[in-house]
Amino acid sequence: MSGKQIEISEVGPRDGLQSISAIMATEDKKRWIAALANAGLREIEVGSFVPAKLLPQLADAAEIVRYARTLPGLTVAVLVPNARGAKDAIAAGAHKLTIPLSVSETHSLKNLRKTHEQVLEEVRQIRAQLDQLPAEQRPSFEGSLSTCFGCTLEGAVAEEAVLRLGEGLMKAGCDEVGLSDTTGYGNPVQVRRLIQLVWSHLGRDALNGIHLHNTRGQGLANVLAAVEAGITTVDASMGGIGGCPFAPGASGNIVTEDLVFLLEAMGYSTGVDVDRLMAAREVLARGLPDEPLFGFVPDAGLPKGFQYAEPQPEVVA
Amino acid sequence: MSGKQIEISEVGPRDGLQSISAIMATEDKKRWIAALANAGLREIEVGSFVPAKLLPQLADAAEIVRYARTLPGLTVAVLVPNARGAKDAIAAGAHKLTIPLSVSETHSLKNLRKTHEQVLEEVRQIRAQLDQLPAEQRPSFEGSLSTCFGCTLEGAVAEEAVLRLGEGLMKAGCDEVGLSDTTGYGNPVQVRRLIQLVWSHLGRDALNGIHLHNTRGQGLANVLAAVEAGITTVDASMGGIGGCPFAPGASGNIVTEDLVFLLEAMGYSTGVDVDRLMAAREVLARGLPDEPLFGFVPDAGLPKGFQYAEPQPEVVA
């Protein structure tokens, strides 16, 4: 046992729900998020502050944030595409804001309809908003380097560009950056190398989290490489729902249920209880009855005699 | 690029076909095996020498071995449960024999209906048969340590038992042993540790290959651990067909198509061409029209601008 903790950041309520056409009812979302938190997930990305006409699936983001804040110990994370969205997210009380910056400028123009410089200008404006808040009310602020392992439109993405834009995000006011394999192009050697490059270039504190896809079945192998390199936060989505709807051919988040098994079996404590995670999956399935849910552990169950990395807390009924 | 070669041993024609109820026609099997070899696979497990009444799907094993031997450069591997099967496999001309020995004796009794000692006695008899052959006609002989990462019936399996039985197989006459995660219980930390233990105990030459399952989605993460530890042969099955029909709840071989992508992307040369692998998948699909085929790469395709670990040979039309 390594005794190490890994934070799983559950992105299903944002990344998952934005990628499917069905709109989950607000009350169902609340039940699902409560069940996820009850399973032990300590960070959940609950919504995105984009115009409702672009993503009607997430139009209730402010209400969901206010609700999620009532769940004890939960970090309520949201996506913000710009300063306008950040203003609304701050007003609703989000604990963490993430702005995506696509290293492939072609993808950036298609996804956010902005050049790199236009995104960095939004980052500066968000930083200015944050600096006006009292420290205890100030959300943390991450810049996510999308398509940093390759782009379905541009193909290979230069590591130099990842480092340059990572530096740009930090200088413009992000607290940290994240690496995002938006297109499912990454492999373990590349994951390990890019993490080390970012740490060398921006310092160890500037990068803690990674968002990996399972588009070519390589998701958990990439997690292994990332976690053993020293990454401490890994994004995943219950049932593997979601992906990137603007990158043609790309789909498939890492499945939370399978990730918990992998990490716990290896001796990394996630704080997540698989039985209660399965209960949350039931809540999701009831809220999205027509949506296929993926994952191997839900079908296979845990191995006979399975032991968590650390003893699980008693369930208080 | 590491410059390293990894051998993918395709087990679909044996492990895959024995696990499904449909019986693939002999001529379809030949077309499929030829297409697999044409894609660059250099070792294929083409059948199992068990009584036809137990596995009617593989009743044509001898004919398939004779055919596969006509494919240039191919190592024709087969499974043999006992000395009787080995005699037939040798007569047909197999290049490599593998006998399974389940580290869980409960599973051994259920799967092969034999105790450990009874299997080891078969190994001794097979060794005696092999020693009577001229060296140039002698197949190689592997003992596969099934359920070595855990058993659906017994739960955890002691590493000491794996080492003891590995030693038993070598002393009884195997040329090498293999590790097999029959039940899909393994995790990367365990895979790495058991490989090192076997090497320490039996010597580096005694273990080269591993058979991993994707039952809990962990298959390629386990491959990463195994290959980076130094394993040079990895079993996989086209479309992920097969698994272990005698281990309740276990299913799912590693998908060859996804494995090739992972290894080549990391800089490990497999010799396999993905386009021609997709052609072989078409041949399989035509031969087994009602069988679901799995895999992510077949749906997602290779990344834009993908480069193999080494330049691919020209296709001769």
Side-chain angles (χ1 to χ4, degrees), chain B residues 113-130:
Chain B
R113 298 198 181 85
K114 285 194 169 64
T115 64
H116 287 156
E117 181 46 38
Q118 287 172 320
V119 176
L120 292 173
E121 178 52 30
E122 299 288 340
V123 171
R124 287 180 210 107
Q125 292 181 24
I126 294 170
R127 181 77 261 162
Q129 291 181 44
L130 293 172

Side-chain angles (χ1 to χ4, degrees), chain B residues 21-310:
Chain B
S21 54
I23 298 182
M24 195 173 182
T26 302
E27 293 309 309
D28 286 333
K29 287 187 191 179
K30 291 179 184 173
R31 273 189 282 272
W32 180 33
I33 291 166
L36 289 166
N38 187 52
L41 289 156
R42 290 169 295 223
E43 179 172 306
I44 305 179
E45 202 175 65
V46 301
S48 184
F49 284 82
V50 290
K53 70 175 193 302
L54 287 181
L55 282 179
Q57 303 96 319
L58 305 181
D60 54 5
E63 180 176 349
I64 295 293
V65 167
R66 285 192 296 270
Y67 170 74
R69 274 178 59 90
T70 68
L71 300 170
L74 183 68
T75 297
V76 180
V78 298
L79 199 91
V80 294
N82 50 35
R84 172 64 213 254
K87 185 166 176 257
D88 294 343
I90 291 166
H95 298 127
K96 181 178 176 182
L97 315 182
T98 297
I99 187 166
L101 169 60
S102 195
V103 181
S104 156
E105 200 154 28
T106 315
H107 180 261
S108 183
L109 288 164
K110 191 143 185 171
N111 192 0
L112 296 175
R113 298 198 181 85
K114 285 194 169 64
T115 64
H116 287 156
E117 181 46 38
Q118 287 172 320
V119 176
L120 292 173
E121 178 52 30
E122 299 288 340
V123 171
R124 287 180 210 107
Q125 292 181 24
I126 294 170
R127 181 77 261 162
Q129 291 181 44
L130 293 172
D131 286 343
Q132 289 172 11
L133 297 171
E136 69 278 8
Q137 291 173 27
R138 197 179 293 151
S140 66
F141 183 28
E142 179 179 320
S144 176
L145 291 155
S146 310
T147 68
C148 69
F149 297 102
C151 172
T152 50
L153 305 165
E154 291 192 1
V157 160
E159 288 172 346
E160 185 278 333
V162 179
L163 299 180
R164 178 170 43 79
L165 291 168
E167 192 177 343
L169 285 168
M170 295 299 286
K171 284 189 175 166
C174 287
D175 299 316
E176 60 180 312
V177 299
L179 297 177
S180 181
D181 187 13
T182 317
T183 57
Y185 273 33
N187 70 71
V189 168
Q190 188 185 17
V191 164
R192 212 179 269 144
R193 189 174 60 229
L194 200 52
I195 290 167
Q196 297 295 349
L197 281 172
V198 171
W199 279 337
S200 299
H201 201 72
L202 301 179
R204 180 91 186 199
D205 292 342
L207 170 65
N208 301 290
I210 197 159
H211 178 98
L212 296 162
H213 280 188
N214 197 36
T215 313
R216 290 169 180 82
Q218 84 281 45
L220 294 188
N222 284 347
V223 167
L224 175 64
V227 163
E228 293 196 334
I231 287 291
T232 52
T233 300
V234 180
D235 289 0
S237 167
M238 175 159 275
I241 60 171
C244 178
F246 303 102
S251 67
N253 278 304
I254 286 175
V255 176
T256 307
E257 298 89 318
D258 296 347
L259 177 62
V260 170
F261 162 69
L262 180 80
L263 292 173
E264 292 282 346
M266 290 173 69
Y268 293 99
S269 180
T270 64
V272 179
D273 179 274
V274 171
D275 289 338
R276 285 190 272 168
L277 202 59
M278 292 307 138
R281 188 174 161 108
E282 290 294 314
V283 175
L284 170 60
R286 283 197 295 272
L288 283 178
D290 297 326
E291 205 58 35
L293 301 182
F294 303 101
F296 287 88
V297 169
D299 284 342
L302 292 173
K304 182 180 170 80
F306 178 75
Q307 294 191 313
Y308 287 89
E310 290 176 7

Side-chain angles (χ1 to χ4, degrees), chain A residues 9 19-20 55 61 69 91 93 101 114 130 138 152-153 175 177-178 202 206 215 241 243 249 299 309 311 316:
Chain A
S9 181
S19 305
I20 59 186
L55 282 179
R69 275 179 59 92
L101 170 60
K114 284 195 170 63
L130 293 171
R138 197 180 293 153
T152 51
L153 305 166
D175 298 316
V177 299
L202 301 179
T215 313
I241 61 171
D299 284 342
V316 181

